[in-house]
Amino acid sequence: MDVDEAALARLYKDFDAEHMIPLWTQTGELMPMSPTSKALPHVWKWDTLLPLAERAGALVPVGRGGERRAIALANPGLAGHPYTTPTLWTAIQYLGPNEVAPEHRHSQNAFRFVVEGEGVWTVVNGDPVAMRRGDFLLTPGWHFHGHHNETDQPMAWLDGLDIPLVHYTDTGFFEFGSDKVTDWSTPDVSRSERLWAHPGLRPLSGSDARPSSPIAAYRWEHTDRALNDQLALEDEGHPGVAGPGHAAVRFTNPTTGGDVMPTIRAEFHRLREGAETATKREVGSAVWQVFDGEGEVTLGEKEIRLGRGDLFVVPSWVPVTVRARTRLDLFRFADTPIFVRLHQYREETTR
Ligand code: GTQ
Ligand code: FE2
């Protein structure tokens, strides 16, 4: 076919003037053979994050308006947005001695993971929940929450939310609550745990399936014991649960047996010294934090050393392998439940 180049140029110019874009110039990026995330594999060192959060603590007040002294881990591939992945926000949040972050609620789902420290209570729908090292805490969408530090020591922890997903899909709602918090008591165990956090048991009332787990805090002693038992069973000749020398658990919603919140999956992994995970790639994105120990991770072509508190991001379909130099404990969260529910989930174990 002879192409009239001048006519073609006029056509593209007229498409542009009418806000039209032809498919045939776009397919490579729009419909790739497999996911090609703009997000990049990246690592943030806890030893770098914490002093920066401390400096924010000295300079930036916490209160109504700004709401939280939280600093996002911004993926270097995502053009300056405060997003760790296309769906997930990850931040270090810092609360100084006796400070209070006021109550609010939003449609975004949130969790906290505590890598060190204690002394803050997060009050979730009026239920005070203690935060301590190793605990995994939930603030599901539209639950009121505020935080208060009852000690003269600062505390920093990890926040994970589905802020980018809610932003891109225009589904966000937000409401202010109490200017302080609604319950100042400081129990060791929240009411939600007393009702819901007994292994294999659920209260007979209110036992319909809920979209998010009613357990406000998954305590380190339970997670640690489950992982220890998996490795002890392997010592006794039973196969390792996630692979040789690799113990793993998923945090679940006791009303469904599924993930803790509609958009976020959370897990804990323990590798014996010298062990490594299978190499796996998955649809959707994940973030890992080293809870304890040392090792390294291979992300696609990239190899990165890991120490306590370090965080790394795994973009969609990038193969990940974690190796343990010492016994290595890692917290992991991902957006998997979204893609499982949309029937878009795929995974591949490549080695
Ligand atoms: O603690 O309520 O990192 O609303 C981002 C948004 C934390 C929180 C974040 C939030 C919070
Ligand atoms: Fe919040």
Side-chain angles (χ1 to χ4, degrees):
M1 190 171 85
D2 274 345
V3 177
D4 182 337
E5 293 293 345
L8 198 56
R10 279 199 304 279
L11 178 64
Y12 285 133
K13 193 166 150 285
D14 291 346
F15 280 161
D16 188 57
E18 297 301 327
H19 306 285
M20 298 166 74
I21 299 173
L23 174 67
W24 61 84
T25 64
Q26 304 285 317
T27 41
E29 202 185 330
L30 270 187
M31 302 175 79
M33 306 300 283
S34 61
T36 52
S37 185
K38 286 195 166 50
L40 298 171
H42 191 75
V43 64
W44 290 264
K45 297 274 174 199
W46 187 250
D47 289 347
T48 306
L49 296 177
L50 189 58
L52 287 165
E54 280 164 0
R55 284 166 60 189
L59 294 170
V60 183
V62 65
R64 194 52 94 203
E67 302 293 305
R68 303 295 185 253
R69 193 187 290 109
I71 308 124
L73 308 188
N75 192 295
L78 296 179
H81 294 292
Y83 303 153
T84 315
T85 82
T87 55
L88 297 169
W89 160 285
T90 312
I92 179 171
Q93 181 166 166
Y94 187 92
L95 204 55
N98 301 112
E99 280 188 325
V100 182
E103 289 189 353
H104 66 208
R105 66 177 173 179
H106 38 71
S107 46
Q108 292 86 352
N109 294 283
F111 72 78
R112 335 264 158 217
F113 178 70
V114 183
V115 75
E116 62 185 32
E118 59 184 18
V120 170
W121 271 258
T122 181
V123 182
V124 180
N125 274 354
D127 188 12
V129 189
M131 298 176 65
R132 302 181 208 98
R133 171 165 160 84
D135 295 345
F136 169 64
L137 305 110
L138 299 188
T139 312
W142 217 237
H143 287 49
F144 278 111
H145 53 285
H147 322 306
H148 61 107
N149 186 342
E150 284 303 305
T151 73
D152 53 15
Q153 295 297 314
M155 185 176 171
W157 63 85
L158 185 74
D159 291 324
L161 293 91
D162 52 11
I163 289 174
L165 173 78
V166 171
H167 183 78
Y168 285 126
T169 53
D170 297 324
T171 49
F173 293 88
F174 185 99
E175 255 180 37
F176 296 115
S178 163
D179 280 343
K180 294 282 188 176
V181 295
T182 45
D183 187 333
W184 293 93
S185 65
T186 55
D188 269 346
V189 181
S190 64
R191 292 194 296 277
S192 89
E193 293 163 84
R194 292 165 65 196
L195 199 49
W196 286 99
H198 304 289
L201 301 169
R202 60 195 251 174
L204 265 191
S205 64
S207 45
D208 288 345
R210 300 186 186 191
S212 293
S213 171
I215 301 176
Y218 295 73
R219 298 299 178 188
W220 173 241
E221 64 172 298
H222 301 134
T223 309
D224 184 42
R225 192 184 309 148
L227 296 163
N228 268 342
D229 275 346
Q230 286 187 16
L231 292 181
L233 283 165
E234 193 185 27
D235 285 335
E236 294 164 25
H238 303 278
V241 164
H246 180 187
V249 290
R250 181 167 299 160
F251 298 98
T252 60
N253 173 348
T255 75
T256 61
D259 287 296
V260 285
M261 296 188 291
T263 55
I264 296 176
R265 166 167 294 179
E267 297 171 348
F268 209 101
H269 293 255
R270 173 169 291 166
L271 291 169
R272 291 184 199 275
E273 179 181 335
E276 68 175 11
T277 65
T279 300
K280 194 173 165 184
R281 58 180 175 180
E282 283 182 85
V283 159
S285 49
V287 179
W288 299 61
Q289 184 175 32
V290 175
F291 181 66
D292 210 358
E294 287 176 23
E296 65 236 351
V297 60
T298 306
L299 293 168
E301 313 285 273
K302 220 169 164 173
E303 174 119 358
I304 304 163
R305 277 297 299 269
L306 298 170
R308 184 168 161 141
D310 294 352
L311 292 124
F312 62 90
V313 51
V314 187
S316 188
W317 214 238
V318 172
V320 53
T321 321
V322 180
R323 271 175 307 280
R325 288 182 183 238
T326 64
R327 187 177 93 163
L328 186 61
D329 275 357
L330 306 112
F331 171 73
R332 172 186 187 268
F333 67 101
D335 56 8
T336 327
I338 304 169
F339 306 110
V340 170
R341 204 157 299 110
L342 297 178
H343 301 279
Q344 298 287 9
Y345 183 65
R346 296 194 194 200
E347 64 178 326
E348 208 173 79
T349 300
T350 48
R351 192 170 52 78

Coordinates of all heavy atoms in Angstrom, one line a residue, residues 67-68 93 102-106 108 110 112 139 143-147 161 174, ligand 2:
E67 N -2.0 15.2 60.3 CA -2.5 13.9 60.9 C -1.5 13.0 61.5 O -1.6 12.5 62.6 CB -3.4 13.1 59.9 CG -4.6 13.9 59.4 CD -5.7 14.2 60.5 OE1 -6.1 13.3 61.2 OE2 -6.0 15.4 60.7
R68 N -0.4 12.7 60.7 CA 0.6 11.7 61.0 C 2.0 12.1 60.6 O 2.2 12.7 59.6 CB 0.3 10.3 60.3 CG -1.1 9.7 60.5 CD -1.3 9.3 61.9 NE -2.6 8.6 62.1 CZ -3.6 9.2 62.8 NH1 -3.6 10.4 63.2 NH2 -4.7 8.5 62.9
Q93 N 6.6 5.6 60.4 CA 5.8 6.6 61.2 C 6.5 6.8 62.6 O 7.0 5.8 63.2 CB 4.4 6.2 61.5 CG 3.6 7.2 62.3 CD 2.1 7.1 62.3 OE1 1.4 7.7 63.1 NE2 1.5 6.3 61.4
P102 N -4.2 12.4 66.3 CA -5.6 12.4 66.5 C -6.4 11.3 65.7 O -5.9 10.8 64.7 CB -6.0 13.8 66.0 CG -5.0 14.2 65.0 CD -3.7 13.6 65.5
E103 N -7.6 11.0 66.2 CA -8.4 10.0 65.5 C -9.0 10.5 64.2 O -9.3 11.6 64.0 CB -9.5 9.5 66.4 CG -9.0 8.7 67.6 CD -10.1 8.1 68.4 OE1 -11.3 8.3 68.2 OE2 -9.7 7.3 69.4
H104 N -9.0 9.6 63.2 CA -9.6 9.8 61.9 C -10.0 8.4 61.4 O -9.6 7.4 61.9 CB -8.7 10.6 61.0 CG -7.5 9.9 60.6 ND1 -6.3 10.6 60.2 CD2 -7.1 8.6 60.4 CE1 -5.4 9.8 59.8 NE2 -5.8 8.6 59.9
R105 N -10.7 8.5 60.3 CA -11.0 7.2 59.5 C -11.0 7.5 58.0 O -11.2 8.6 57.6 CB -12.3 6.5 60.0 CG -13.5 7.2 59.7 CD -14.7 6.4 60.1 NE -16.0 7.1 60.0 CZ -17.2 6.6 60.3 NH1 -17.2 5.3 60.8 NH2 -18.3 7.3 60.1
H106 N -10.7 6.5 57.3 CA -10.6 6.6 55.8 C -10.9 5.2 55.2 O -10.8 4.2 55.8 CB -9.2 7.1 55.4 CG -8.0 6.6 56.2 ND1 -7.6 5.3 56.1 CD2 -7.3 7.2 57.1 CE1 -6.6 5.2 56.9 NE2 -6.3 6.3 57.5
Q108 N -9.1 3.8 53.0 CA -7.9 3.0 52.8 C -7.7 2.0 53.9 O -7.9 2.4 55.1 CB -6.7 4.0 52.7 CG -6.7 4.9 51.5 CD -7.4 6.2 51.7 OE1 -8.2 6.4 52.6 NE2 -7.3 7.1 50.7
A110 N -5.3 -0.2 56.4 CA -4.0 0.1 56.9 C -3.6 -1.0 57.9 O -4.4 -1.7 58.5 CB -4.0 1.4 57.6
R112 N 0.0 -1.8 60.7 CA 1.3 -1.4 61.3 C 2.1 -2.7 61.6 O 1.5 -3.7 61.9 CB 1.2 -0.7 62.7 CG -0.2 -0.1 62.9 CD -0.2 1.4 62.6 NE -1.6 1.8 62.4 CZ -1.9 2.7 61.5 NH1 -1.0 3.3 60.7 NH2 -3.2 3.1 61.3
T139 N -5.7 -1.8 60.9 CA -6.7 -0.7 60.9 C -7.5 -0.8 59.6 O -7.2 -0.1 58.7 CB -6.0 0.6 61.0 OG1 -5.0 0.6 62.1 CG2 -7.0 1.7 61.3
H143 N -12.4 2.2 59.9 CA -12.3 2.1 61.3 C -11.6 3.4 61.8 O -10.5 3.8 61.3 CB -11.4 0.9 61.7 CG -12.1 -0.4 61.5 ND1 -12.7 -0.8 60.4 CD2 -12.2 -1.5 62.4 CE1 -13.2 -2.0 60.5 NE2 -12.9 -2.5 61.7
F144 N -12.2 4.0 62.8 CA -11.5 5.2 63.5 C -10.2 4.7 64.1 O -10.1 3.6 64.7 CB -12.4 5.8 64.5 CG -13.4 6.8 64.0 CD1 -14.8 6.4 64.0 CD2 -13.0 8.0 63.4 CE1 -15.7 7.3 63.5 CE2 -14.0 8.9 62.9 CZ -15.3 8.5 63.0
H145 N -9.1 5.6 64.1 CA -7.9 5.2 64.7 C -7.1 6.5 65.1 O -7.0 7.4 64.3 CB -7.1 4.2 63.9 CG -6.8 4.8 62.5 ND1 -7.8 4.7 61.5 CD2 -5.7 5.3 61.9 CE1 -7.3 5.2 60.4 NE2 -6.1 5.6 60.6
G146 N -6.5 6.4 66.3 CA -5.5 7.5 66.7 C -4.5 6.8 67.5 O -4.7 5.6 68.0
H147 N -3.3 7.4 67.6 CA -2.2 6.8 68.3 C -1.7 7.7 69.4 O -1.6 8.9 69.3 CB -1.0 6.5 67.3 CG -1.4 6.1 65.9 ND1 -2.2 5.0 65.7 CD2 -1.0 6.6 64.7 CE1 -2.3 4.9 64.3 NE2 -1.7 5.9 63.8
L161 N -0.4 0.7 53.6 CA -1.8 1.1 53.3 C -2.0 0.9 51.7 O -1.0 0.9 51.0 CB -2.1 2.5 53.6 CG -2.2 2.9 55.1 CD1 -0.9 3.4 55.6 CD2 -3.3 4.0 55.3
F174 N -12.7 10.2 53.6 CA -12.0 10.5 54.9 C -12.8 11.3 55.8 O -13.6 12.1 55.4 CB -10.7 11.3 54.5 CG -9.8 11.6 55.6 CD1 -8.6 10.9 55.8 CD2 -10.1 12.6 56.5 CE1 -7.8 11.1 56.8 CE2 -9.2 12.9 57.6 CZ -8.0 12.1 57.7
Ligands
FE2_2 FE -5.0 6.8 59.2

